[in-house]
Amino acid sequence: ENDPTCLAKRGDNNMNWLQGNPGLVTATCLREVLHTNAEDTRDREGKHRFHAFGLVRSYTGEVDQWYRNKHKDMDKILGTDKTYTEVKDGLDCCSEETASFHYVEYLETKVLYLVRQRLLKEPNMSDEDLLALVKKEWPKKGKVGGYSHPLPTANQSAMKSGILPLLRSIATKKSQD
């Protein structure tokens, strides 16, 4: 409970960085103090349920190099095949069982929640209505924050074949189980 490995205390040289990365503090605590390794939480298709980055960054594959580096030896660590060393993007980035996105600014979080709630209430919402909702509500460049990214500026057909199906996928009843 009071093991310093499990705390980001004032006075630590890395305190500010550690407080901003609680997942790393938790993983270190689990491994070094509780002698338990965190497990990979991908679904059967190898898609992530817990995302280090927001929806747009996960979809576009515009993630930080440290994240890609963390995947390099995942097959050896987990005793799985090489597919676990890949950082998937596009429609393969996110499981239907998505639970969370980590580096997401509050405006993107609000939109994800709003869109998810609307899709749960109206699962047959047309692509046109969903596209209009997403375009209206998604934070614009300059307001999106430091970690989140604005929507891709591609044409509407690219949105309809990419981000919209992804939003539908992660906003299913299955994602609530």
Side-chain angles (χ1 to χ4, degrees), residues 45-77:
E45 297 175 26
K47 297 179 181 181
H48 283 282
R49 291 182 178 105
F50 297 88
H51 306 278
F53 297 94
L55 180 86
V56 172
R57 290 184 75 177
S58 296
Y59 175 78
T60 61
E62 295 175 12
V63 297
D64 295 351
Q65 189 59 44
W66 69 261
Y67 184 70
R68 292 188 182 285
N69 293 344
K70 287 285 184 186
H71 282 75
K72 284 184 180 175
D73 293 323
M74 196 62 78
D75 58 329
K76 295 175 192 101
I77 294 166

Side-chain angles (χ1 to χ4, degrees), residues 89-105:
D89 57 17
L91 295 175
D92 291 329
C93 72
C94 307
S95 172
E96 287 182 359
E97 301 164 357
T98 287
S100 70
F101 294 94
H102 182 58
Y103 289 121
V104 180
E105 302 290 339

Side-chain angles (χ1 to χ4, degrees), residues 4-109:
T5 307
C6 300
L7 304 172
K9 288 186 173 181
R10 294 196 189 288
D12 286 352
N13 290 337
N14 296 322
M15 182 193 66
N16 289 338
W17 186 82
L18 288 171
Q19 286 176 335
N21 294 279
L24 298 177
V25 174
T26 303
T28 301
C29 179
L30 286 169
R31 184 180 62 250
E32 294 180 14
V33 176
L34 301 175
H35 309 291
T36 302
N37 285 320
E39 284 190 30
D40 185 70
T41 56
R42 287 179 255 197
D43 68 13
R44 280 183 240 123
E45 297 175 26
K47 297 179 181 181
H48 283 282
R49 291 182 178 105
F50 297 88
H51 306 278
F53 297 94
L55 180 86
V56 172
R57 290 184 75 177
S58 296
Y59 175 78
T60 61
E62 295 175 12
V63 297
D64 295 351
Q65 189 59 44
W66 69 261
Y67 184 70
R68 292 188 182 285
N69 293 344
K70 287 285 184 186
H71 282 75
K72 284 184 180 175
D73 293 323
M74 196 62 78
D75 58 329
K76 295 175 192 101
I77 294 166
L78 297 173
T80 60
D81 61 59
K82 281 278 193 200
T83 60
Y84 278 79
T85 64
E86 302 166 6
V87 176
K88 295 182 178 185
D89 57 17
L91 295 175
D92 291 329
C93 72
C94 307
S95 172
E96 287 182 359
E97 301 164 357
T98 287
S100 70
F101 294 94
H102 182 58
Y103 289 121
V104 180
E105 302 290 339
Y106 79 100
L107 290 174
E108 185 178 353
T109 301

Side-chain angles (χ1 to χ4, degrees), residues 105-121:
E105 302 290 339
Y106 79 100
L107 290 174
E108 185 178 353
T109 301
K110 286 173 62 175
V111 175
L112 284 171
Y113 180 79
L114 170 77
V115 169
R116 187 168 189 276
Q117 293 307 307
R118 284 284 301 276
L119 284 170
L120 287 170
K121 287 179 186 169

